[in-house]
Amino acid sequence: KTILELRGVQEQAPENPVVWRLMAFAYDAAGDADEASRALRGAASIDALYYPEYVRYLLSRGSRAEARRAMEAFVSVPAAGLRPMTLRERADLSQTLGRWPDALSDRRVLARSGLPEDLADLGFLFARLGFTEDAAAIADQLIGPDRPESAVSAGVSILLESGMVGEAVDRYLAAR
């Protein structure tokens, strides 16, 4: 009954991504994962805000190849057209799927905000990929006497992740 009611609403408002998302939940609750997936794809095609949920749904179903195809469409959306939260989710999903160039690109865009969390995410990604100098440069931006403790901690952790233990200790003590 719920699905039939939502279909009626969907016919009246086919460009409303919320309706598509509700359809996905209704199909999923009814045990029809394929239709739920199609409905989430519909929501994402209308508003990129729904791509993260769509990709995560596919991953939760074990549909990694389909999730990769969905990510192709998601990364084709220009970063400037995404809300920061959605761009963070895209970077996270890119990392999950091993799409390192896409993850780096999105993390760089986010780091331009200067928010410690976004700088830290970029620094940790640099460290993970072995870009030690880039990771250290991000740590430099996070560590300082006027920076919040959480930023200093993140900067020190980035240095540790990069194998720069002595530098991490020295920088932490100097920032105190």
Side-chain angles (χ1 to χ4, degrees):
K1 179 181 175 190
T2 302
I3 292 172
L4 291 175
E5 289 172 353
L6 284 170
R7 279 187 186 158
V9 173
Q10 188 180 37
E11 287 173 12
Q12 296 171 6
E15 295 301 312
N16 185 335
V18 174
V19 175
W20 285 88
R21 183 172 184 246
L22 288 171
M23 291 287 293
F25 276 87
Y27 280 122
D28 190 62
D32 192 340
D34 290 338
E35 284 300 320
S37 177
R38 278 192 262 295
L40 281 174
R41 183 176 56 237
S45 70
I46 296 166
D47 186 343
L49 171 70
Y50 296 94
Y51 266 113
E53 186 174 7
Y54 174 44
V55 173
R56 283 192 305 272
Y57 183 76
L58 293 171
L59 288 171
S60 75
R61 290 185 48 221
S63 302
R64 200 164 178 86
E66 199 173 343
R68 286 185 180 283
R69 285 191 295 277
M71 279 302 294
E72 286 294 326
F74 192 15
V75 299
S76 73
V77 177
L82 297 175
R83 299 163 187 89
M85 176 190 74
T86 306
L87 190 57
R88 282 183 197 95
E89 289 179 297
R90 184 168 82 178
D92 290 343
L93 288 166
S94 290
Q95 285 181 233
T96 297
L97 291 168
R99 297 178 63 102
W100 306 116
D102 295 327
L104 275 171
S105 177
D106 288 344
R107 295 279 184 222
R108 283 185 171 117
V109 170
L110 289 162
R112 288 187 207 130
S113 73
L115 292 173
E117 305 83 34
D118 291 329
L119 286 168
D121 286 342
L122 178 59
F124 282 117
L125 183 54
F126 280 144
R128 179 176 186 180
L129 296 176
F131 301 144
T132 306
E133 289 180 23
D134 294 317
I138 296 293
D140 286 343
Q141 295 178 55
L142 291 167
I143 300 172
D146 60 335
R147 301 295 283 173
E149 183 63 30
S150 61
V152 173
S153 177
V156 167
S157 295
I158 290 166
L159 292 172
L160 292 172
E161 290 279 326
S162 297
M164 296 184 266
V165 177
E167 178 78 11
V169 171
D170 292 345
R171 296 297 308 279
Y172 178 75
L173 293 174
R176 295 188 69 192

